[in-house]
Amino acid sequence: GTKEKKVISSKIDKYLKGKMSSVDGPKRIIIAGPPGSGKRSQAECVVDKFGVVELSMMDEIRNAISNSTALGLAAKQRMDQGLLVSDDLMVRILKERLSKPDCMQQGWLLHDFPKTFSQAIMLEEAGIQPSHFFLFDVPEDILVERCVGRRKDPVTGKMYHLKYDPPPEDPEVLDRLFQRAEDTSRSVLNRMHQFQVEVSNMKFLYRGRLHLLDGTVDKDSLSSRISDILEDVGPSAAPPSLKVVIFGPPASGKSVQSTELAKKLGLVHVCTGDLLRFHIENETQVGLKARSSLASGTLLSDDVIIPLIKERMSHLDVRQRGWILDGFPRTIRQIQALKEMELDPDFFFLLEVPDAVVLERALGKRVDSQTGKIYHTSFHPPPHHLVHRLRAQTSDSREGTLRRLQTYREVEATVVSYFSCVGRRINGQRAREEISKEIEAVLARRIPLDMSGRPPRKAIPSAQEANQYIKSRLQPFLVKGLTELARAKPADPLRYLATWMLENNPNRPMGGEQSDGGRAGVKTNTEEEKNFAS
């Protein structure tokens, strides 16, 4: 009957959503993510806090071989023949390990398996069902930076990172460090793309137990979020994220302002120039198309740049933390693409800089070939010991800058007109600190949006400034007025108090003769009161 059909349908739905395996009892955890996403470090944190058994598929194969189990011998035979251990054999080895008392009682955590959708299906069919499936989301440019900087010590087996976890300043250690083949940029990108193909199906399979997390946040923040989920603590309400576009001609200071603002407010800086340089350096298909466009100073085709931005803006860091777009949009199609992604900006800042100033800034710009840091021969000179490795970019030549300026001027009016309702025109020739203060005041709604280009008026005071004014000025003023009222005991108290406040207002004193509005004869008695009234 109808009732029975509903019951069956409910059971099927629960199974498909992964609800058939109860989350009660020992935790069964899988942590997945692309290479360099932080799976191992987060696994260690979970093991330390919750006491689950940490499992590695490769370690379990080695253990099975060393213990000469039937499955271990089968794995060894395949490896001796130069063959990979089959998925079926790996799942059987894992199932045998999970049947041990420690896993049954304490729960378990896997962080390097499954790597493919077929492996995930085989786990489900074998009854190995996680209670929690954590998937870390990290953009490819950040992944590559994390991986290519890794170095391994062959003696201790310890892994270092040249930027985030540098090795000790020991010449002997530094000499023996090496980069693994899988940590080259080409290898990382290949592995990441393979993972993306597989993970789309795994997300569907584990959708009832899936927890998609931003893997770009710091280690402690990510660990805290995982712990909250495992302890069934809901996420705290996040403040609304800002969406900002900073627009202007080349060398107008867009990247400088975007970088500083992103760092201060915790936003994600999405710079089209940085993304394109990443693809050029790694010789991707996008990079090959971009190389000629950047060299000639022409805009890259919308068919190339829009998918690039769409992919970057799809990641969790952008969606959850807010963003600053630098270098996009520049055409009507790009504006429409932003709208289709439901990413209309809250604020649009136009940095206005005359062509002559743009040219002066561009011609003096130099880039550190090792760190990528930007200097200027006049405005921000480099240290003497770095001068030998500085380079001038081809696009910053006089001809290249003029071409980029011409391209920018052709699209400026269209873009500015579209975003004028959320925009503010800013004089970009001032000191960077002044520009930053004006942008921050607009974001805090202390200075209004205005595309006229007029200098900013005095900002509305912040809450802290307002409180300070109330305590230091307003409260003493009101106390004096009420004291006068109590002493005079006039027939019309409200009229008396209002008149007293007008005559003694320290911000706008009336001066002249006192009115007789119920207050005649009231005088200031002390020198302090006279000063206050004046």
Side-chain angles (χ1 to χ4, degrees), residues 18-28 104-107 129-132 230 232:
K19 300 293 186 182
M20 291 297 287
S21 55
S22 171
V23 296
D24 296 332
K27 294 175 171 59
R28 306 176 302 282
M104 299 287 287
Q105 295 168 11
Q106 299 168 227
Q129 299 178 337
S131 57
H132 299 81
L230 293 174
D232 202 21

Side-chain angles (χ1 to χ4, degrees), residues 89 103 277 290 327 450 488 508-509 511:
L89 191 51
C103 292
R277 279 187 285 274
D450 181 9
R508 192 172 301 193

Side-chain angles (χ1 to χ4, degrees), residues 43-165:
E44 292 172 355
C45 294
V46 172
V47 170
D48 289 342
K49 182 166 185 176
F50 295 94
V52 294
V53 179
E54 181 180 1
L55 301 175
S56 164
M57 192 68 252
M58 296 310 299
D59 288 344
E60 297 312 318
I61 292 174
R62 283 190 286 267
N63 291 338
I65 291 174
S66 63
N67 293 328
S68 298
T69 66
L71 295 175
L73 293 174
K76 185 176 185 305
Q77 183 179 11
R78 289 186 63 86
M79 293 171 69
D80 290 343
Q81 296 173 354
L83 302 174
L84 294 174
V85 179
S86 65
D87 288 350
D88 175 66
L89 191 51
M90 285 194 285
V91 171
R92 288 161 60 196
I93 290 173
L94 184 59
K95 185 173 183 179
E96 186 176 79
R97 177 65 182 90
L98 294 177
S99 66
K100 304 295 182 183
D102 57 347
C103 292
M104 299 287 287
Q105 295 168 11
Q106 299 168 227
W108 48 266
L109 182 149
L110 263 172
H111 59 77
D112 64 351
F113 195 84
K115 292 183 177 180
T116 66
F117 178 59
S118 61
Q119 291 172 351
I121 288 290
M122 294 176 73
L123 287 181
E124 290 285 306
E125 291 175 344
I128 304 174
Q129 299 178 337
S131 57
H132 299 81
F133 183 84
F134 293 100
L135 176 60
F136 297 162
D137 177 61
V138 184
E140 60 183 7
D141 56 326
I142 297 177
L143 286 174
V144 169
E145 182 187 28
R146 287 181 179 181
C147 292
V148 298
R150 292 195 295 207
R151 297 294 184 272
K152 186 173 183 177
D153 186 333
V155 175
T156 65
K158 183 174 175 57
M159 291 292 297
Y160 297 98
H161 193 283
L162 300 179
K163 180 177 179 181
Y164 303 117
D165 183 21

Side-chain angles (χ1 to χ4, degrees), residues 500-512 531-534:
W500 184 93
M501 292 176 72
L502 284 171
E503 292 177 353
N504 293 276
N505 181 358
N507 293 323
R508 192 172 301 193
M510 293 177 66
N531 292 336
F532 184 83
S534 65

